[in-house]
Amino acid sequence: MSSDQDHLKETDTEARFEFKKEENAAFETEKGLTEETVRVISEDKDEPEWMLERRLRALEQFQQMPMPEGWPGAPDLSEVDIEDIVPYIRPDIETRGGAESWEDLPEEIQDTFDKLGIPEAEKNALSGVGAQYESEIVYQNMQERWEEKGVIFCDMDKAVQEHEDLVKDHFMTKCVPPSDNKFAALHGAVWSGGSFVYIPEDTTVEMPVQAYFRMNSEGMGQFEHTLIIAEENSEVHYIEGCSAPKYSAFNLHSGGVEVFVGENAHVQYSTVQNWSKNTYNLNTKRAICEADGTMEWVSGSMGSKATMLYPSTVLKGPGATDNHITIAMAGEGQDIDTGAKVYHNAPETKSTIESKSIAKDGGRTNYRGLVHIADGAEDSSTSVECDALMFDNDSTSDTMPYMEIQESKVDVAHEATVGKIGDEDVFYLQSRGLDDDDAKQMIVAGFIEPITEELPIEYAVELNRLIELEMEGSLG
Amino acid sequence: MSTQVHADLTESQVEQISSDLDEPEWLLETRKEALSALDDLEMPDVIQTPGRKWTNLDALDYESLVDPLDYAQDKDRIDAEGVDVLSWSEALSEHGDLIEDHFGSVVDPQRDYLTALSTALFSAGTVVYVPEGVDAEDVKIRTTMNSQSLFNYTLVVAEESASVTILERQENGDTVEGNQYYSGVVEASVGENAYVQYGTLQNLSQGTYNYQVKRGHADTYGTLDWIDGNIGSRLTKSNVETRLLGDSSESQIVGAFFGHDDQHFDIASRVWHEAEHTVADLVTRGVLDDEARSVYEGVQDVGKEAWDTSSYQRENTLMLSDESEADASPKLIINNHDTEASHSATVGQVDEEDMFYMTSRGVHPEAAKNMLVEGFFVPVLDEVEVDELRDDLDQLIYERLRE
């Protein structure tokens, strides 16, 4: 990791690094997340005063808010001890980039990357071994290509410094305020890293903007913030390919994603996530969509011990559209509680939600969605489709949609089906010479096709490979 | 937690009710236990989404609604051959052991605050006993409420290979000042290979708050069908539930509601598949006008041992007015993979193309809309086996449309 070391020297981070170590020792005796922790983070990042104030206000809200408990069938979060959250941040500050080298990664993860057929350089990036330095090159390349048109794509910490007005106006104000939920508040207090994307008016970014790696590059990477602003008539496809299995000892990921879709703009946000099996993934993602704008969420949720993630869209202007395509897969010991939320707050708004889930080896998947159609959102329509596939009898699959309809001139439809993998389908394929494993994998591939066809080819391949890996040896 | 009622409730009132019904000691004890449990019990669960409770039961003023010793009702019971349809005092003297065996075995007397209140205070009600092998139709129970509050308790026991259809109607009679409170508990035990269809037509006054729990257990090859028709009341919280405990047992829950003015219906249909080869079908259709509001929850819970389950659910709501609100949450909870399950829910208004089709054929728009709304209920009405229930429900829908 010589490049990493060089970088640290270049930016004088090492000195600050030492400083932080001291600070850590200083508040080691403190229990839970304190004001001091937040001040240290902010100071370290050399943030403007307003950001520190926002962090502190978020901290206050975090301390006052209850855990998301008492939801029917909600994942067990009893292990997520708020008092322990800070200690989890601390080692991250100390080690910066996480593991020192590829060899330090757990074998299981190295193995996964090998099986995925990912080249060495990319492996380093994906696993978080490669630190900020490499990632900045990724960003830099992007910028060169698009900066002439005024497109901004950079690290979130950097955006606070260099694009202060835009960030100040949009950062956790209108879209995901810290008061949204306890983990959004936590995120607001200790967030670090992430992507900032700005697309000016009348600009189309033809190729997907990819943030392939960010997780461990910046200190507490598990609280990364993504802010996307797409102005009027612009178009962008952002892909968060930080699907690396997280190897770290930290067991809480609480990111925040805010997307502003301007009038007649089009934003697609795609993500394939594959957290390590000891991670609690408690994320908040939301988009606000102006008149005639289109927001599209495409997500694959793999990995994690428990996930609670409900990407949501507020359809604010007339004619706004929101599409969700999601796939969740839960294996042994996993509880993937996910779904989509849509608020129809204007006339002639449309949403479609297509959710697929696969449960196997005792895993649990749950679709928990909310469609709200406000009074006055006439001629709005929504259609929700949930399909669940179950492999065995140790697994659980639930569907809990909520629909709040306050307007009569609407068209609302929800449909869900659950079934086991069809014996007849398996038999059919077997009779054509496929073995049992291949037959089942083919059925699963067909089942998730609506998702994969929305992803650029490399991500689709990755998603398919991840699912194949998950299924390997568990069939037959 | 509401303690308004409890402040006014005494053990002696409960003893008074119990002695009026000539009850045995065990039942009085059950009542007293329910009464003393009130302090610790919560209101029934209602659906909540962040920042919002879909039905606010805590806001009810039970103090002004409940008057334990003032109970008055007319009860009209029509039995069928071979079936015992009895008042509680008759039933307790004729079938004491049977009642002791079944009472509280299906509905936990302390399931929540309002159910415990019902257990402690029920003074009206009926026991329907269908002995082994008896095949009967058209048992009718009409309850007319003539007091501030009325606590009604119905116990249905259908023995092996018995069959019965029951219609229960709930209405108000004498005018009572202020708001009223009706609480109904129905417990049904469906024996092996037995069949029960239990239909309710609730047409209480719009000053009446209404809480109902209807719950049944179905044994092997048993079938329990519920019809839950809700037209009246100011606020209704209705729970219709079946546990399919025996292999190859079946249940159908059919719901129909029509709300107008500022009526609030909180309707829940729930089925638990706990044995092999069980089948459930949940069908609810509702119409909302004016400022009426419906809250629907449907739960299909497939247990780990419920191999080869088939479970279906459909809920459709028509909204006739912009001020109305329809909330729905159909839930699937699947723990066995050998399951075929689906649910669907739709909300919309009278189809414009249908309207156009009819008006273009000379039907007046108002008449066309009424016909379409009546037609909307047909799939639900078709499932009703008791003619009187079907005809009356149809008539009430007809009248409401022309109000």
Side-chain angles (χ1 to χ4, degrees):
Chain A
M1 295 316 303
S2 61
S3 61
D4 186 19
Q5 297 297 331
D6 290 346
H7 174 65
L8 291 176
K9 277 185 196 123
E10 265 168 42
T11 56
D12 197 26
T13 314
E14 218 164 28
R16 290 194 285 135
F17 184 50
E18 291 304 317
F19 157 75
K20 268 182 299 185
K21 262 188 178 166
E22 266 168 48
E23 282 299 315
N24 283 344
F27 61 72
E28 206 152 78
T29 47
E30 302 255 8
K31 277 226 155 195
L33 183 56
T34 65
E35 195 180 312
E36 201 188 341
T37 325
V38 171
R39 285 185 186 277
V40 168
I41 295 168
S42 185
E43 200 182 328
D44 179 46
K45 292 176 182 299
D46 201 15
E47 280 176 356
E49 187 65 22
W50 61 266
M51 182 55 90
L52 174 63
E53 273 163 27
R54 271 186 209 180
R55 286 182 184 273
L56 292 173
R57 205 174 60 216
L59 176 70
E60 215 172 286
Q61 282 164 317
F62 169 72
Q63 283 158 347
Q64 285 162 8
M65 287 170 91
M67 290 283 280
E69 281 165 347
W71 298 18
D76 179 11
L77 298 183
S78 56
E79 220 180 82
V80 182
D81 186 353
I82 299 306
E83 296 300 307
D84 277 346
I85 281 178
V86 171
Y88 283 131
I89 295 168
R90 225 180 268 137
D92 206 7
I93 297 175
E94 287 174 14
T95 54
R96 279 317 256 200
E100 290 292 315
S101 70
W102 175 252
E103 283 69 37
D104 288 349
L105 286 175
E107 216 168 284
E108 183 191 317
I109 286 156
Q110 292 187 31
D111 201 37
T112 306
F113 282 118
D114 284 338
K115 284 179 178 165
L116 281 169
I118 288 170
E120 196 72 23
E122 211 168 323
K123 276 182 198 168
N124 285 341
L126 273 170
S127 61
V129 172
Q132 199 174 358
Y133 194 53
E134 284 95 346
S135 75
E136 290 220 331
I137 283 172
V138 175
Y139 293 149
Q140 208 64 45
N141 286 343
M142 271 304 159
Q143 281 184 347
E144 272 165 27
R145 199 170 168 111
W146 300 106
E147 66 188 359
E148 279 168 35
K149 291 186 176 178
V151 174
I152 304 168
F153 182 34
C154 69
D155 185 271
M156 197 63 221
D157 292 320
K158 198 165 147 191
V160 174
Q161 308 291 343
E162 293 178 11
H163 308 284
E164 192 174 344
D165 290 347
L166 276 173
V167 175
K168 192 175 180 181
D169 199 28
H170 293 87
F171 186 91
M172 296 194 87
T173 50
K174 309 159 211 182
C175 198
V176 180
S179 58
D180 189 77
N181 65 73
K182 192 169 184 74
F183 291 94
L186 174 67
H187 175 86
V190 301
W191 77 272
S192 182
S195 299
F196 177 72
V197 181
Y198 177 82
I199 315 294
E201 256 180 67
D202 302 316
T203 307
T204 299
V205 181
E206 286 100 0
M207 62 175 289
V209 174
Q210 307 184 18
Y212 214 87
F213 144 66
R214 291 169 300 107
M215 287 300 108
N216 281 346
S217 64
E218 268 292 314
M220 298 141 289
Q222 67 270 45
F223 298 103
E224 86 287 354
H225 194 92
T226 304
L227 176 56
I228 300 171
I229 304 167
E231 302 278 18
E232 213 174 311
N233 294 320
S234 69
E235 194 173 333
V236 67
H237 182 182
Y238 174 84
I239 301 182
E240 194 178 76
C242 49
S243 55
K246 271 200 65 173
Y247 58 87
S248 69
F250 330 125
N251 59 4
L252 177 66
H253 169 254
S254 188
V257 174
E258 301 184 277
V259 184
F260 292 84
V261 184
E263 251 181 72
N264 202 36
H266 187 144
V267 176
Q268 180 172 339
Y269 180 101
S270 303
T271 172
V272 178
Q273 303 192 336
N274 188 29
W275 302 101
S276 70
K277 304 274 158 70
N278 68 347
T279 301
Y280 286 88
N281 182 33
L282 309 168
N283 246 331
T284 309
K285 298 183 178 182
R286 186 166 308 135
I288 295 178
C289 206
E290 305 290 342
D292 299 315
T294 301
M295 179 66 208
E296 296 191 69
W297 300 95
V298 179
S299 48
S301 293
M302 323 269 301
S304 88
K305 179 167 193 176
T307 286
M308 288 176 85
L309 170 60
Y310 321 98
S312 55
T313 301
V314 180
L315 296 170
K316 196 177 160 202
T321 301
D322 175 50
N323 300 317
H324 286 259
I325 299 178
T326 67
I327 178 154
M329 183 166 186
E332 194 181 343
Q334 291 183 275
D335 190 342
I336 311 289
D337 201 277
T338 184
K341 285 200 284 184
V342 189
Y343 296 86
H344 291 258
N345 287 349
E348 290 164 44
T349 49
K350 280 186 192 61
S351 64
T352 61
I353 296 163
E354 203 177 335
S355 165
K356 304 237 175 201
S357 71
I358 299 167
K360 58 180 261 300
D361 298 336
R364 173 180 182 264
T365 58
N366 182 25
Y367 173 83
R368 192 190 300 275
L370 172 68
V371 174
H372 179 93
I373 301 190
D375 196 4
E378 56 179 43
D379 296 318
S380 290
S381 67
T382 178
S383 117
V384 183
E385 244 183 82
C386 306
D387 297 316
L389 194 59
M390 290 175 78
F391 269 92
D392 52 64
N393 203 38
D394 295 323
S395 305
T396 307
S397 182
D398 302 342
T399 312
M400 299 184 181
Y402 295 88
M403 283 167 276
E404 301 182 333
I405 316 300
Q406 296 169 342
E407 165 65 45
S408 68
K409 261 182 98 179
V410 293
D411 188 1
V412 176
H414 168 94
E415 249 182 83
T417 61
V418 177
K420 61 172 175 174
I421 197 155
D423 288 340
E424 273 175 51
D425 297 337
V426 174
F427 176 76
Y428 175 85
L429 292 167
Q430 280 174 335
S431 71
R432 266 142 192 82
L434 288 175
D435 71 20
D436 191 53
D437 272 19
D438 288 343
K440 285 182 177 171
Q441 285 189 5
M442 188 172 275
I443 291 165
V444 169
F447 178 73
I448 64 161
E449 199 184 285
I451 314 291
T452 49
E453 72 186 14
E454 287 299 318
L455 289 168
I457 186 73
E458 67 266 34
Y459 290 87
V461 168
E462 185 186 332
L463 184 63
N464 265 322
R465 285 293 291 147
L466 281 170
I467 284 170
E468 277 173 35
L469 288 176
E470 286 288 325
M471 282 165 53
E472 223 162 63
S474 67
L475 300 177
Chain B
M1 248 292 298
S2 167
T3 48
Q4 306 101 309
V5 190
H6 196 211
D8 280 353
L9 285 178
T10 63
E11 210 162 84
S12 71
Q13 288 171 322
V14 170
E15 281 162 1
Q16 177 70 50
I17 295 167
S18 183
S19 85
D20 287 356
L21 264 67
D22 263 339
E23 279 177 12
E25 191 58 27
W26 70 263
L27 188 49
L28 176 60
E29 278 310 307
T30 308
R31 286 177 186 271
K32 284 181 177 172
E33 283 163 19
L35 180 75
S36 60
L38 286 176
D39 281 338
D40 302 319
L41 289 170
E42 300 287 332
M43 277 291 159
D45 280 340
V46 295
I47 303 181
Q48 290 184 54
T49 42
R52 189 162 181 233
K53 254 188 182 173
W54 287 13
T55 299
N56 189 357
L57 292 171
D58 293 307
L60 287 183
D61 180 9
Y62 295 91
E63 201 170 354
S64 74
L65 288 173
V66 173
D67 192 349
L69 289 182
D70 171 32
Y71 51 86
Q73 52 139 0
D74 286 333
K75 190 76 87 177
D76 186 9
R77 299 187 182 92
I78 298 170
D79 58 10
E81 209 182 319
V83 182
D84 287 347
V85 183
L86 307 166
S87 70
W88 272 95
S89 48
E90 289 168 333
L92 284 164
S93 69
E94 282 180 39
H95 300 291
D97 292 346
L98 181 91
I99 293 169
E100 193 171 355
D101 278 352
H102 288 92
F103 188 94
S105 68
V106 176
V107 176
D108 177 1
Q110 295 172 23
R111 128 189 197 129
D112 52 49
Y113 185 87
L114 295 181
T115 308
L117 194 64
S118 239
T119 310
L121 300 181
F122 82 88
S123 54
T126 305
V127 174
V128 179
Y129 171 56
V130 195
E132 190 177 327
V134 169
D135 188 359
E137 276 176 17
D138 287 348
V139 168
K140 288 167 194 165
I141 305 163
R142 294 191 191 96
T143 306
T144 308
M145 175 177 183
N146 291 324
S147 47
Q148 189 83 53
S149 54
L150 189 69
F151 294 88
N152 198 52
Y153 204 109
T154 307
L155 177 67
V156 179
V157 180
E159 289 185 341
E160 194 177 327
S161 300
S163 166
V164 67
T165 56
I166 302 164
L167 161 62
E168 187 192 355
R169 302 189 52 138
Q170 298 139 2
E171 281 160 352
N172 301 64
D174 301 348
T175 317
V176 173
E177 287 270 319
N179 290 325
Q180 289 170 273
Y181 181 69
Y182 179 92
S183 174
V185 176
V186 180
E187 277 193 281
S189 293
V190 179
E192 207 175 306
N193 198 38
Y195 171 80
V196 173
Q197 182 180 91
Y198 192 101
T200 322
L201 183 53
Q202 179 271 114
N203 191 26
L204 295 162
S205 76
Q206 277 178 240
T208 305
Y209 292 85
N210 171 35
Y211 174 70
Q212 310 233 4
V213 181
K214 294 168 210 153
R215 187 174 161 106
H217 289 177
D219 205 342
T220 310
Y221 291 113
T223 299
L224 174 56
D225 292 347
W226 298 102
I227 315 285
D228 188 34
N230 284 291
I231 299 290
S233 83
R234 166 69 191 81
L235 176 144
T236 283
K237 164 97 182 137
S238 170
N239 304 280
V240 185
E241 304 170 351
T242 303
R243 281 176 72 196
L244 296 167
L245 294 175
D247 287 353
S248 303
S249 54
E250 294 185 21
S251 183
Q252 188 182 44
I253 301 176
V254 174
F257 61 86
F258 193 157
H260 72 159
D261 298 341
D262 60 350
Q263 285 185 295
H264 180 112
F265 294 133
D266 181 325
I267 311 281
S269 304
R270 303 186 182 101
V271 61
W272 288 266
H273 296 264
E274 297 178 44
E276 296 181 21
H277 321 298
T278 58
V279 179
D281 193 12
L282 280 50
V283 192
T284 296
R285 292 209 159 194
V287 172
L288 297 174
D289 204 350
D290 306 325
E291 289 163 38
R293 177 154 182 253
S294 69
V295 175
Y296 170 84
E297 182 187 54
V299 180
Q300 299 151 274
D301 187 314
V302 180
K304 205 164 158 50
E305 300 309 317
W307 295 91
D308 187 26
T309 296
S310 299
S311 194
Y312 309 97
Q313 180 183 176
R314 300 179 294 292
E315 199 260 347
N316 310 93
T317 311
L318 265 192
M319 291 168 85
L320 302 180
S321 135
D322 231 15
E323 280 70 49
S324 55
E325 180 176 344
D327 298 335
S329 182
K331 294 177 180 161
L332 276 166
I333 296 164
I334 313 289
N335 289 298
N336 184 300
H337 80 294
D338 191 8
T339 295
E340 196 182 288
S342 71
H343 68 211
S344 65
T346 64
V347 179
Q349 51 173 202
V350 176
D351 189 75
E352 272 178 46
E353 270 179 53
D354 292 344
M355 279 295 283
F356 177 76
Y357 176 86
M358 292 175 81
T359 49
S360 70
R361 266 146 193 80
V363 181
H364 187 272
E366 190 62 27
K369 186 195 81 183
N370 291 349
M371 284 165 78
L372 289 169
V373 173
E374 287 172 63
F376 175 75
F377 280 108
V378 166
V380 159
L381 292 169
D382 278 350
E383 302 298 333
V384 182
E385 284 175 32
V386 180
D387 294 341
E388 185 184 324
L389 171 55
R390 186 174 53 246
D391 295 345
D392 286 356
L393 192 54
D394 201 15
Q395 182 64 25
L396 287 168
I397 291 163
Y398 179 88
E399 284 166 14
R400 176 148 292 180
L401 279 166
R402 283 154 188 84
E403 262 171 26

